[in-house]
Coordinates of all heavy atoms in Angstrom, one line a residue:
H258 N -136.4 -137.9 -100.6 CA -135.0 -137.6 -100.4 C -134.2 -138.9 -100.1 O -133.1 -139.2 -100.8 CB -134.8 -136.5 -99.4 CG -133.4 -136.1 -99.2 ND1 -132.8 -134.9 -99.7 CD2 -132.4 -136.7 -98.3 CE1 -131.5 -134.9 -99.3 NE2 -131.2 -135.9 -98.5
H262 N -131.2 -141.3 -102.1 CA -129.9 -141.6 -101.7 C -129.7 -143.1 -102.0 O -128.6 -143.6 -102.2 CB -129.9 -141.4 -100.1 CG -129.5 -140.1 -99.7 ND1 -128.6 -139.3 -100.4 CD2 -129.9 -139.3 -98.7 CE1 -128.4 -138.1 -99.8 NE2 -129.2 -138.0 -98.8
E313 N -126.2 -134.7 -101.5 CA -127.4 -134.0 -100.9 C -128.2 -133.2 -101.9 O -129.4 -133.4 -101.9 CB -127.0 -133.2 -99.7 CG -126.4 -133.9 -98.5 CD -127.4 -134.9 -97.9 OE1 -128.7 -134.8 -98.3 OE2 -127.1 -135.8 -97.2
H357 N -128.4 -132.7 -92.8 CA -129.2 -132.0 -93.8 C -129.5 -130.6 -93.4 O -130.6 -130.3 -93.1 CB -130.6 -132.7 -94.0 CG -130.4 -134.1 -94.5 ND1 -130.2 -135.2 -93.6 CD2 -130.3 -134.8 -95.7 CE1 -130.0 -136.3 -94.3 NE2 -130.1 -136.1 -95.6
Ligands
ZN509 ZN1 -129.6 -136.6 -97.4

Side-chain angles (χ1 to χ4, degrees):
H258 178 99
H262 275 318
E313 288 303 342
H357 298 89

